[in-house]
Amino acid sequence: MASKDPLEKPSTGLADADIEAILGSRHPDPFAVLGIHQAGDKFVARCFIPHAAAVTAETIAGKAIGELDCLDPAGIFAGAISVRKLQPIRYRARNEGGEWIVVDPYSFGPVLGPMDDYYIREGSHLRLFERMGSHPLTLEGVDGFHFAVWAPNAQRVSVVGDFNEWDGRRHVMRLRGDTGIWEIFLPGVVAGHAYKYEIVGKNGEVLPLKADPFARRSELRPRTASMTTGEIEQVWEDEAHRDHWATIDPRRQPISIYEVHAASWQRRDNGDMLSWDELAERLIPYCDEMGFTHIEFLPISEYPFDPSWGYQTTGLYAPTARFGDPEGFARFVNGAHKVGLGVILDWVPAHFPTDEHGLRWFDGTALYEHEDPRKGFHPDWHTAIYNFGRQEVLAFLINNALYWAEKFHVDGLRVDAVASMLYLDYSRKHGEWVPNEYGGNENLEAVRFLQTMNARVYGTRPGVITIAEESTSWPKVSHPVHEGGLGFGFKWNMGFMHDTLQYMSREAVHRKFHHNDMTFGLLYAFTENFVLPLSHDEVVHGKGSLIAKMAGDDWQKFANLRAYYGFMWGYPGKKLLFMGQEFAQWREWSEDRALDWNLLEYPMHEGMRRLVRDLNGTYRRKVALHGRDCEGEGFEWLLADDRDNSVFAWLRKAPGEKTIAVVTNFTPVYRERYRVPLPVEGRWKEILNTDAEIYGGSGKGNGGAVQAERDANGNVSAVITLPPLATLLLEQE
């Protein structure tokens, strides 16, 4: 009998226009034509299987239910099948080379549901990392992977990979019109496959293949595809560690951070990077022995360009493949927690690189970034700036923060480049930026993002801290959101770093003219919860290492650095030191080589390492040195104005604890009878002296203790010996 529609193939319901659209990779909704469909009281199966010469439809269990007709030699088949209801089916395809089984992805229903749509539209979905990207799934008894990606302005999105010959015609996804999310379940796909998304833009243009924004694993550079991977299977043994940090106030705990670039801390003998397991074997015991409380990694999210150090990331959800699989990083964190070490990640939600496989122009439009380059392009780094005014972008970033905390048990996020987010005119000249709705330069959308992110992290992940790298005087960075703050737990004290290093670079004879460089910071030391950072930024780009910055000859450089470390560890605020500086590496840091560990063979360098170890130990044991790091009641000046001698002295205090006096002499002059005021009479024990011989110093000191006495006027003081270029810690007995 002749068909009513001359374009319709007999009994298939598939028009030539549909076939042409499928083969031309232009069909807007393949779920409407492929798969299993009801036609009256019968069912029809339609499929596209390239290279097939004949196709038999079968149930999932393998029962034959119909032979399909070849409608196009490119691989279009269709025909009636013997089933009673819509259900998943498979095809037995054959050609002269043999036969193979294809489970039909178009015979499965959607995985995402209406509640996903609701929370995604609202911007409040906090489990996106379990719904977006690629995840192993058993659907209606069939194993495979579910894929979901946001591309609201695309005409068509396909999953392509080594499982389908990178053919965008085979696995075109289903569009969820309410959210702009495309999804598909691909039966038979297992972990370990490379994949990307092939996207046709709104004007019909085929875009460069895109990596998955939510990919949890990526290929090793220079390859750029995402990888299917299973869920993290880690037997966590860190309950005691996490419970501790979830139940205390971190402002009143010792926090001493070792900042690490994982690719260059140490390397194998052949120059290759260490794996996470090798890092765990070496780095964790080292930090534990050195007395640090936390390891902070420069960004470990996937990034294409080694010299970016990870700060230009293309895969926020994927631990970089440079060090192995994601499970390796989970094992590292678990191992660190077992010995009481926290793990902090540098996190980059401010901007992203413009590599064509990344987020820029993702669906043919400015999706993740602002379309206006005055808000969407960073002139310093030539990167794209996230559109913080878009709910989907905020959800992408906030979920990422929650993801690292939940799936990998990280203890904190240090948020990079916060200042660049807060100011619309950051690094821009007049006319190159767009004022906010009130005419100001504050990026109100970024403010709301940071507040929301911090509120979510602190509200749902007890024990996790956030730290802002913020270099301006923006108020209340580390104050709660409900008090008008940004909600961070801590803020890097960039002023301390800048002023004190500037002072230390001056010859001792000139320091009396710059005394305020060392005292000014106490005017604002308790306005925020500060971390004192001697970070990677200070030892690159021609700045030299910390030891190289110090004034004087080699002996004075070492003595200056020892005195400076003692000054810093006695100063209010949490501590951060970049790798290599603990043993006074001479060379400027480079990301393409290991640290100069051979320097530890020399006594001056080994002495510096011992000093940092002992400073950490003293800082952790003595509550007076950390218990009120962020509160003014924990600090009291003893000598703030002895600029002629370049001497500084203060007290560190905590309720119910023994008081500690910190005294620093920043000149090479040995002072035998220097009088220091002290709060009470009696014996004060010298608990640390940076000039001790074990640290490479001259061995000058006070024989282990000094005696404070009251004079006729009622003033209490002690006559002490001040070693040259040294810091003393004296504890009340």
Side-chain angles (χ1 to χ4, degrees), residues 11 69 153:
S11 75
D69 299 323
N153 302 305

Side-chain angles (χ1 to χ4, degrees), residues 118-133:
Y118 175 82
Y119 289 120
I120 289 170
R121 287 198 308 271
E122 190 179 62
S124 61
H125 204 308
L126 299 183
R127 311 296 301 176
L128 283 180
F129 49 83
E130 295 181 337
R131 309 299 276 166
M132 302 292 291

Side-chain angles (χ1 to χ4, degrees), residues 28 38 56 122 136 205 223 231 249 283 297 320 344 371 380 448 477 487 490-491 507 509 572 574 598 650 675:
Q38 190 165 3
T56 301
E122 190 179 62
E205 72 279 19
R223 296 189 298 271
E231 305 300 335
D249 181 353
L283 179 58
F297 285 112
T320 176
I344 299 170
E371 187 169 16
D380 287 352
R448 284 191 288 270
V477 171
F490 295 93
K491 172 183 172 175
E507 294 293 337
V509 69
K574 309 309 178 185
N598 61 298
W650 62 78
R675 188 171 294 277

